[in-house]
Amino acid sequence: MSDRVPKVIIHGGAGPALEDKGGLAAVREDLHAVVAAVYQRGEAGDRALDCAIYGCQQLEDRPRFNAGYGSVLQADGQARLSAGLMNGVSQRFSGVINVARVEHPIHLAAALQANPDRVLSELGAAELARELGLPPFDPVTPQRLQEWLQARQNHFSQAMAGVVATDPQARRGTIGVVVLDRQGHLAVGTSTGGKGLERLGRVSDAAMPAGTYANALAAVSCTGIGEDIIDECLAARLVVRVSDGLDLGAALAKSFSEATLNQRDFGAIAITQQGEVGWGKTSDVLLAAYHTGSGLGDTLDLGPGTATGVVSP
C-alpha cells in the first residue's frame, strides 16, 4: 500500500480543567505548530517511525510540557525521564526508564530499536547515552526548581507536581505522537518526566506497552495517571480490540466506559491503518491536536468528564 494521505495526532498531557485561558491559547499554539510540522514531514514521504521521533523531540524541547526540557522533579530534586517507541510495521518496542541528564529521551528509545536489549532502566540508559556520545544536558528549568522548593517547604504534601508549566493546577503530563505515513505504516512515541515528587524508582507507563503500543493495524499513546494506565493496560488493550475487528470508535467507547467504572484518570490518542484518527479521556482536559490531511483540529475545548471521538478518513 502506498501514496496514502498521512495522519498525525499528538498529545501534551491530561488532567483537571485548565482555567487560565491564556495558558490554553499558548498550549494550542504549541500543539498546532508541532502537529503541522510532523504532518509536513509525513507529507514529504518520511516514514512513520521517523516522524514520531521528530514529533516527540519537538515536544521535548518545549518547557511548557513535562518531557525533556522542563520536566518535573522527583522527590529528591532530580529530573528523570522515560520514553517509549514502537514501530507498527515490525511490531517492535523500545524504551528507556528514569534516565537523567539527557536532552531527548526519545532518541535513546530510537537507538534501541535495532538492539536485542530494547528497554533499559536508569544506569543502562545512562551508559547508552555515553556510548552514543550525547553531551550531558540539564533539563531542569527555574520554574520546575521553584515548584520543587515550594513542595519541599510544604513537606511534599502534594501528590504530584504541576506538570504543565503555565498551569498552577496539578496535571498529568506526558507527550505522545502517533503517525500514519504515506505507505500506510504506523508508529508511536511517548515521552515523560513522570508525575513529579514521586518516590525514587517509580516507573511510568510511557516505556511500557500499557502506555505506548502499535502493530500494523493501530497505534496508541496514553497520558494521565500512569498507574491507572498500567492497570487498564490501555494502549495495548485498544490496539488488540481494533486488531480483533472493532472499529476505533467502538474500541475507544468500550475501553473508556470500562475506565470510567474503574475510576481511572487518563487519556489516549490513536490512529488506525485505515486512517481513522481518535482520542478518548476520562480526565477533564486532554491536550491533543491532530492533522487529518484536510486540516487541523484539537480536543482542548472538550467538556469535563469521559469523552471519545473519531475523525474518519
Side-chain angles (χ1 to χ4, degrees), residues 28-48:
R28 174 172 278 131
E29 182 178 358
D30 270 357
L31 291 175
H32 282 213
V34 172
V35 81
V38 176
Y39 180 82
Q40 187 175 29
R41 295 280 292 262
E43 192 175 35
D46 286 9
R47 61 177 186 155

Side-chain angles (χ1 to χ4, degrees), residues 297-310:
D298 64 55
T299 65
L300 274 65
D301 292 326
L302 294 177
T306 301
T308 61
V310 174

Side-chain angles (χ1 to χ4, degrees), residues 161-188:
V163 293
V164 165
T166 56
D167 183 9
Q169 300 188 63
R171 190 167 302 280
R172 294 68 157 126
T174 308
I175 64 92
V177 179
V178 185
V179 180
L180 175 72
D181 65 22
R182 296 183 70 91
Q183 299 302 310
H185 298 156
L186 291 158
V188 55

Side-chain angles (χ1 to χ4, degrees), residues 97-120:
I97 298 168
N98 284 336
V99 61
R101 301 191 66 78
V102 299
E103 185 172 11
H104 295 121
I106 195 66
H107 285 177
L108 297 180
L112 290 167
Q113 273 283 305
N115 199 293
D117 303 316
R118 284 183 277 114
V119 182
L120 300 180

Side-chain angles (χ1 to χ4, degrees), residues 208-213 220-222 229 232-240:
M208 295 184 186
T212 306
Y213 201 74
V220 177
S221 174
C222 301
I229 294 166
E232 295 290 319
C233 200
L234 182 60
R237 175 176 292 193
L238 285 165
V239 171
V240 167

Side-chain angles (χ1 to χ4, degrees), residues 56-216:
C56 286
Q57 176 188 336
Q58 294 300 304
L59 289 165
E60 288 172 343
D61 283 341
R62 284 167 163 76
R64 187 182 314 283
F65 302 111
N66 175 37
Y69 183 56
S71 289
V72 294
L73 308 187
Q74 296 188 347
D76 66 345
Q78 299 296 314
R80 296 182 179 88
L81 318 178
S82 298
L85 180 67
M86 194 158 187
N87 186 346
V89 180
S90 59
Q91 202 168 327
R92 194 170 182 88
F93 182 93
S94 59
V96 291
I97 298 168
N98 284 336
V99 61
R101 301 191 66 78
V102 299
E103 185 172 11
H104 295 121
I106 195 66
H107 285 177
L108 297 180
L112 290 167
Q113 273 283 305
N115 199 293
D117 303 316
R118 284 183 277 114
V119 182
L120 300 180
S121 62
E122 189 169 357
L123 292 176
E127 177 63 15
L128 174 63
R130 188 195 65 78
E131 290 174 6
L132 294 173
L134 301 180
F137 179 82
D138 184 1
V140 179
T141 60
Q143 182 169 344
R144 294 308 193 191
L145 181 58
Q146 279 301 120
E147 289 173 354
W148 182 84
L149 289 171
Q150 184 63 46
R152 184 177 70 171
Q153 185 176 343
N154 295 331
H155 305 290
F156 296 107
S157 58
Q158 297 170 260
M160 64 183 70
V163 293
V164 165
T166 56
D167 183 9
Q169 300 188 63
R171 190 167 302 280
R172 294 68 157 126
T174 308
I175 64 92
V177 179
V178 185
V179 180
L180 175 72
D181 65 22
R182 296 183 70 91
Q183 299 302 310
H185 298 156
L186 291 158
V188 55
T190 310
S191 181
T192 185
K195 61 184 180 182
L197 312 181
E198 62 263 61
R199 66 184 298 165
L200 300 188
R202 183 257 182 184
V203 175
S204 77
D205 64 284
M208 295 184 186
T212 306
Y213 201 74
N215 64 11

